[in-house]
Amino acid sequence: MSKRFTFNTIALFTRDNRSIVDFYTGVFGFTTDWDGVQPNVEMKLDGMRILLFPRTEFERMVSRAFTYPDDVNGTMEISFDVPTYADVDREFQLAVSQGAKPVLEPTTEPWGQRTCYVADPDGNLIEISSFTV
C-alpha cells in the first residue's frame, strides 16, 4: 500500500515576511532564496520547510477576512528538538537575543524533558526541547 501523506511543511500567515525570515534564518539557520519582494516565501532546514505568506495577500486570495491573535498564538506550536539540555538553554538565549518573546524559560519537567517556549515576532509559539542530559 502506498503512503497517503507525507508531512513536511508548516505555513505561517505573517504580518511582515521580512521580520519572520530574519528571525528563522538568524535563530534556527533556515535558508531561503526569497527575493524580498514576492509574497510567497519558502525556507528550508534539514528536510523541514516553513512557508510564509502575508495575511493580507491570503485574505485577498481566498476572498475572506480572518481574525488573528494579538499577542502569543496559543492554538499551535512549532517544536524543535535539540541534542542536549545545554542546547535547550543556549537556543533559548539565542532566540530571545534575536527578538523572540520568552514564554517559558528552560525547565526540566518531571518526565525528563528539558523544554522552553518562545514566541516569534508574529506570536507563534516555538518549543525547544531535549530528553538528553
Side-chain angles (χ1 to χ4, degrees):
M1 182 172 174
S2 65
K3 187 169 29 171
R4 183 170 174 208
F5 295 111
T6 298
F7 182 85
N8 70 348
T9 305
I10 295 288
L12 302 174
F13 299 112
T14 65
R15 284 185 278 235
D16 172 38
N17 276 352
R18 172 53 59 200
S19 67
I20 301 301
V21 166
D22 290 348
F23 179 79
Y24 283 91
T25 59
V27 174
F28 297 107
F30 279 84
T31 61
T32 185
D33 60 3
W34 181 54
D35 64 7
V37 177
Q38 298 301 315
N40 190 55
V41 178
E42 179 180 13
M43 298 184 298
K44 295 180 181 180
L45 177 66
D46 298 330
M48 297 176 285
R49 293 183 334 146
I50 294 179
L51 302 179
L52 307 177
F53 201 71
R55 293 173 180 178
T56 54
E57 295 292 326
F58 182 66
E59 289 178 350
R60 186 178 4 263
M61 183 177 83
V62 299
S63 300
R64 179 179 170 168
F66 293 92
T67 57
Y68 303 96
D70 288 329
D71 191 20
V72 175
N73 179 359
T75 62
M76 57 84 69
E77 73 175 44
I78 298 170
S79 182
F80 293 102
D81 291 330
V82 294
T84 68
Y85 281 17
D87 294 315
V88 172
D89 295 21
R90 186 173 28 263
E91 294 296 339
F92 176 83
Q93 292 303 323
L94 174 62
V96 171
S97 75
Q98 295 288 319
K101 179 178 183 177
V103 175
L104 174 69
E105 295 209 9
T107 303
T108 303
E109 300 294 351
W111 50 88
Q113 178 187 34
R114 184 135 179 100
T115 190
C116 66
Y117 283 89
V118 297
D120 73 16
D122 269 347
N124 299 298
L125 275 175
I126 300 167
E127 178 185 30
I128 304 167
S129 68
S130 179
F131 281 93
T132 306
V133 179

